[in-house]
Structure formats: structure tokens, C-alpha cells
Short mmCIF file of all heavy atoms in Angstrom, two decimals:
data_model
loop_
_atom_site.label_atom_id
_atom_site.label_comp_id
_atom_site.label_asym_id
_atom_site.label_seq_id
_atom_site.Cartn_x
_atom_site.Cartn_y
_atom_site.Cartn_z
N TYR A 147 -5.18 1.86 2.58
CA TYR A 147 -4.57 2.41 3.78
C TYR A 147 -5.20 3.68 4.13
O TYR A 147 -5.51 3.96 5.28
CB TYR A 147 -3.04 2.51 3.65
CG TYR A 147 -2.48 3.02 4.90
CD1 TYR A 147 -2.23 2.21 6.02
CD2 TYR A 147 -2.13 4.40 5.04
CE1 TYR A 147 -1.73 2.71 7.19
CE2 TYR A 147 -1.58 4.89 6.22
CZ TYR A 147 -1.42 4.04 7.25
OH TYR A 147 -0.86 4.57 8.46
N LEU A 148 -5.37 4.61 3.10
CA LEU A 148 -5.98 5.91 3.46
C LEU A 148 -7.40 5.75 4.07
O LEU A 148 -7.67 6.41 5.07
CB LEU A 148 -6.17 6.69 2.14
CG LEU A 148 -4.92 7.39 1.51
CD1 LEU A 148 -5.33 8.26 0.36
CD2 LEU A 148 -4.17 8.22 2.53
N ALA A 149 -8.13 4.79 3.44
CA ALA A 149 -9.50 4.55 4.07
C ALA A 149 -9.53 4.00 5.45
O ALA A 149 -10.52 4.12 6.14
CB ALA A 149 -10.20 3.70 3.07
N SER A 150 -8.43 3.38 5.83
CA SER A 150 -8.37 2.71 7.19
C SER A 150 -8.06 3.80 8.27
O SER A 150 -8.11 3.44 9.47
CB SER A 150 -7.33 1.60 7.11
OG SER A 150 -6.05 2.14 7.11
N GLN A 151 -7.60 4.92 7.89
CA GLN A 151 -7.13 5.93 8.87
C GLN A 151 -8.25 7.00 9.25
O GLN A 151 -9.10 7.31 8.39
CB GLN A 151 -5.95 6.65 8.26
CG GLN A 151 -4.82 5.76 7.96
CD GLN A 151 -4.40 4.93 9.19
OE1 GLN A 151 -3.91 5.55 10.16
NE2 GLN A 151 -4.47 3.59 9.08
N PRO A 152 -8.22 7.46 10.42
CA PRO A 152 -9.35 8.34 10.93
C PRO A 152 -9.25 9.68 10.25
O PRO A 152 -10.37 10.35 10.11
CB PRO A 152 -9.15 8.46 12.42
CG PRO A 152 -7.69 8.10 12.56
CD PRO A 152 -7.35 7.09 11.57
N GLU A 153 -8.14 10.16 9.76
CA GLU A 153 -8.08 11.41 9.15
C GLU A 153 -6.90 11.43 8.06
O GLU A 153 -5.98 10.62 8.21
CB GLU A 153 -7.87 12.56 10.09
CG GLU A 153 -6.57 12.51 10.93
CD GLU A 153 -6.44 13.70 11.85
OE1 GLU A 153 -6.94 14.75 11.51
OE2 GLU A 153 -5.92 13.49 13.00
N LEU A 154 -6.99 12.38 7.16
CA LEU A 154 -5.98 12.45 6.12
C LEU A 154 -4.97 13.52 6.49
O LEU A 154 -5.40 14.71 6.64
CB LEU A 154 -6.63 12.88 4.78
CG LEU A 154 -5.69 13.09 3.62
CD1 LEU A 154 -4.95 11.74 3.24
CD2 LEU A 154 -6.41 13.57 2.41
N THR A 155 -3.73 13.15 6.68
CA THR A 155 -2.66 14.04 7.06
C THR A 155 -1.47 13.83 6.04
O THR A 155 -1.51 12.74 5.42
CB THR A 155 -2.15 13.85 8.46
OG1 THR A 155 -1.50 12.55 8.50
CG2 THR A 155 -3.29 13.95 9.46
N PRO A 156 -0.52 14.67 5.92
CA PRO A 156 0.53 14.44 5.05
C PRO A 156 1.36 13.15 5.44
O PRO A 156 1.79 12.41 4.52
CB PRO A 156 1.41 15.60 5.33
CG PRO A 156 0.50 16.74 5.63
CD PRO A 156 -0.52 16.10 6.49
N ALA A 157 1.44 12.87 6.74
CA ALA A 157 2.18 11.63 7.12
C ALA A 157 1.38 10.35 6.72
O ALA A 157 1.93 9.43 6.28
CB ALA A 157 2.37 11.62 8.61
N VAL A 158 0.05 10.44 6.80
CA VAL A 158 -0.79 9.29 6.38
C VAL A 158 -0.63 9.02 4.91
O VAL A 158 -0.54 8.01 4.47
CB VAL A 158 -2.25 9.54 6.84
CG1 VAL A 158 -3.21 8.57 6.09
CG2 VAL A 158 -2.43 9.34 8.37
N PHE A 159 -0.74 10.16 4.16
CA PHE A 159 -0.60 10.15 2.72
C PHE A 159 0.76 9.50 2.27
O PHE A 159 0.74 8.53 1.43
CB PHE A 159 -0.73 11.51 2.13
CG PHE A 159 -1.12 11.52 0.66
CD1 PHE A 159 -2.44 11.64 0.26
CD2 PHE A 159 -0.15 11.29 -0.35
CE1 PHE A 159 -2.81 11.62 -1.06
CE2 PHE A 159 -0.54 11.26 -1.64
CZ PHE A 159 -1.85 11.45 -2.02
N ARG A 160 1.79 9.91 2.94
CA ARG A 160 3.09 9.31 2.54
C ARG A 160 3.16 7.89 2.91
O ARG A 160 3.71 7.06 2.13
CB ARG A 160 4.28 10.07 3.30
CG ARG A 160 4.41 11.60 2.81
CD ARG A 160 5.75 12.22 3.34
NE ARG A 160 5.63 12.35 4.72
CZ ARG A 160 5.27 13.52 5.43
NH1 ARG A 160 4.90 14.52 4.62
NH2 ARG A 160 5.24 13.66 6.69
N THR A 161 2.62 7.47 4.07
CA THR A 161 2.58 6.10 4.46
C THR A 161 1.82 5.29 3.45
O THR A 161 2.19 4.16 3.07
CB THR A 161 2.05 5.92 5.86
OG1 THR A 161 2.90 6.67 6.78
CG2 THR A 161 2.01 4.48 6.27
N ALA A 162 0.67 5.86 2.99
CA ALA A 162 -0.16 5.16 1.99
C ALA A 162 0.54 4.84 0.74
O ALA A 162 0.37 3.80 0.13
CB ALA A 162 -1.40 5.94 1.80
N MET A 163 1.44 5.76 0.30
CA MET A 163 2.14 5.46 -0.93
C MET A 163 3.14 4.33 -0.75
O MET A 163 3.41 3.53 -1.68
CB MET A 163 2.90 6.80 -1.32
CG MET A 163 1.93 7.86 -1.80
SD MET A 163 2.83 9.37 -2.41
CE MET A 163 3.65 8.73 -3.84
N PHE A 164 3.72 4.18 0.44
CA PHE A 164 4.62 3.03 0.71
C PHE A 164 3.88 1.75 0.65
O PHE A 164 4.29 0.74 0.07
CB PHE A 164 5.34 3.24 1.99
CG PHE A 164 6.52 4.05 1.90
CD1 PHE A 164 6.53 5.42 1.92
CD2 PHE A 164 7.76 3.39 1.89
CE1 PHE A 164 7.68 6.20 1.81
CE2 PHE A 164 8.99 4.23 1.80
CZ PHE A 164 8.88 5.59 1.74
N TYR A 165 2.66 1.65 1.29
CA TYR A 165 1.75 0.54 1.24
C TYR A 165 1.34 0.19 -0.17
O TYR A 165 1.14 -0.91 -0.55
CB TYR A 165 0.56 0.68 2.21
CG TYR A 165 0.94 0.28 3.57
CD1 TYR A 165 0.90 1.27 4.57
CD2 TYR A 165 1.33 -1.02 3.94
CE1 TYR A 165 1.21 0.87 5.87
CE2 TYR A 165 1.65 -1.36 5.20
CZ TYR A 165 1.53 -0.41 6.24
OH TYR A 165 1.92 -0.72 7.53
N GLY A 166 1.11 1.30 -1.01
CA GLY A 166 0.81 0.95 -2.41
C GLY A 166 2.00 0.28 -3.11
O GLY A 166 1.77 -0.67 -3.78
N GLY A 167 3.21 0.80 -2.82
CA GLY A 167 4.34 0.10 -3.36
C GLY A 167 4.49 -1.40 -2.92
O GLY A 167 4.91 -2.26 -3.63
N VAL A 168 4.15 -1.63 -1.67
CA VAL A 168 4.17 -2.98 -1.04
C VAL A 168 3.32 -3.91 -1.88
O VAL A 168 3.69 -4.95 -2.35
CB VAL A 168 3.84 -2.93 0.40
CG1 VAL A 168 3.53 -4.31 0.88
CG2 VAL A 168 4.99 -2.27 1.19
N MET A 169 2.09 -3.47 -2.02
CA MET A 169 1.09 -4.27 -2.71
C MET A 169 1.40 -4.49 -4.18
O MET A 169 1.17 -5.56 -4.78
CB MET A 169 -0.37 -3.82 -2.48
CG MET A 169 -0.80 -3.68 -1.07
SD MET A 169 -0.39 -5.11 0.00
CE MET A 169 -1.45 -6.31 -0.69
N GLY A 170 1.90 -3.37 -4.81
CA GLY A 170 2.29 -3.62 -6.19
C GLY A 170 3.44 -4.56 -6.40
O GLY A 170 3.54 -5.36 -7.37
N SER A 171 4.38 -4.60 -5.38
CA SER A 171 5.54 -5.44 -5.52
C SER A 171 5.15 -6.94 -5.31
O SER A 171 5.77 -7.87 -5.93
CB SER A 171 6.55 -5.08 -4.41
OG SER A 171 6.20 -5.40 -3.12
N PHE A 172 4.08 -7.19 -4.51
CA PHE A 172 3.59 -8.55 -4.34
C PHE A 172 2.89 -8.99 -5.58
O PHE A 172 3.05 -10.18 -6.05
CB PHE A 172 2.63 -8.68 -3.22
CG PHE A 172 3.28 -8.81 -1.86
CD1 PHE A 172 2.96 -7.90 -0.91
CD2 PHE A 172 4.23 -9.73 -1.63
CE1 PHE A 172 3.56 -7.88 0.34
CE2 PHE A 172 4.84 -9.82 -0.27
CZ PHE A 172 4.52 -8.81 0.67
N ALA A 173 2.14 -8.16 -6.26
CA ALA A 173 1.33 -8.47 -7.37
C ALA A 173 2.07 -9.03 -8.63
O ALA A 173 1.69 -9.93 -9.29
CB ALA A 173 0.52 -7.25 -7.89
N VAL A 174 3.33 -8.49 -8.80
CA VAL A 174 4.15 -8.95 -9.89
C VAL A 174 4.87 -10.29 -9.86
O VAL A 174 5.48 -10.73 -10.68
CB VAL A 174 5.11 -7.76 -10.34
CG1 VAL A 174 4.42 -6.47 -10.60
CG2 VAL A 174 6.24 -7.70 -9.25
N GLU A 175 4.83 -10.77 -8.59
CA GLU A 175 5.63 -12.00 -8.23
C GLU A 175 4.99 -13.25 -8.79
O GLU A 175 5.65 -14.30 -8.86
CB GLU A 175 5.83 -12.16 -6.72
CG GLU A 175 6.73 -11.09 -6.24
CD GLU A 175 6.94 -11.26 -4.68
OE1 GLU A 175 6.14 -11.86 -4.01
OE2 GLU A 175 7.95 -10.73 -4.22
N ARG A 176 3.76 -13.21 -9.21
CA ARG A 176 3.01 -14.42 -9.72
C ARG A 176 2.14 -13.94 -10.87
O ARG A 176 1.86 -12.74 -11.01
CB ARG A 176 2.22 -15.14 -8.69
CG ARG A 176 2.94 -15.72 -7.54
CD ARG A 176 3.84 -16.92 -7.77
NE ARG A 176 4.40 -17.37 -6.60
CZ ARG A 176 5.53 -17.01 -6.06
NH1 ARG A 176 6.24 -15.99 -6.64
NH2 ARG A 176 6.01 -17.56 -5.04
N PHE A 177 1.69 -14.84 -11.65
CA PHE A 177 0.68 -14.53 -12.71
C PHE A 177 -0.69 -14.19 -12.09
O PHE A 177 -1.06 -14.75 -11.09
CB PHE A 177 0.51 -15.66 -13.69
CG PHE A 177 1.58 -15.83 -14.73
CD1 PHE A 177 2.57 -16.78 -14.60
CD2 PHE A 177 1.69 -15.01 -15.83
CE1 PHE A 177 3.57 -16.84 -15.59
CE2 PHE A 177 2.59 -14.97 -16.80
CZ PHE A 177 3.59 -16.05 -16.68
N GLY A 178 -1.33 -13.25 -12.78
CA GLY A 178 -2.73 -12.83 -12.34
C GLY A 178 -2.77 -12.35 -10.91
O GLY A 178 -1.92 -11.56 -10.50
N THR A 179 -3.67 -12.88 -10.12
CA THR A 179 -3.88 -12.54 -8.73
C THR A 179 -3.38 -13.46 -7.81
O THR A 179 -3.62 -13.30 -6.63
CB THR A 179 -5.38 -12.26 -8.48
OG1 THR A 179 -6.11 -13.50 -8.73
CG2 THR A 179 -5.97 -11.22 -9.49
N ASP A 180 -2.57 -14.45 -8.22
CA ASP A 180 -2.15 -15.60 -7.29
C ASP A 180 -1.46 -15.05 -6.09
O ASP A 180 -1.71 -15.53 -4.96
CB ASP A 180 -1.29 -16.54 -7.99
CG ASP A 180 -2.06 -17.41 -9.02
OD1 ASP A 180 -3.32 -17.29 -9.11
OD2 ASP A 180 -1.47 -18.23 -9.73
N ARG A 181 -0.54 -14.20 -6.25
CA ARG A 181 0.21 -13.72 -5.09
C ARG A 181 -0.64 -12.85 -4.13
O ARG A 181 -0.46 -12.93 -2.91
CB ARG A 181 1.51 -12.92 -5.51
CG ARG A 181 2.37 -12.53 -4.39
CD ARG A 181 2.98 -13.76 -3.77
NE ARG A 181 4.03 -13.50 -2.79
CZ ARG A 181 3.91 -13.51 -1.52
NH1 ARG A 181 2.72 -13.96 -1.02
NH2 ARG A 181 4.87 -13.24 -0.69
#
């Protein structure tokens, strides 16, 4: 998400942490990389 944004701001950084949590939550739902 950070790399997809034109500039780094505190708001962008905070949003990126939420998207990190989103992708981590999907990863644990199946074995390996399936999800």
C-alpha cells in the first residue's frame, strides 16, 4: 500500500498498517499461500 501512494504521510502510513492487518488475516485462514 505504501508503494502504491504518491507520497508518504502519517495518514498513508496509518492506512498501510490496516491493510497489513487485512492481508495477514487472510493468510492465516488456509494452509500455505492458498488464501
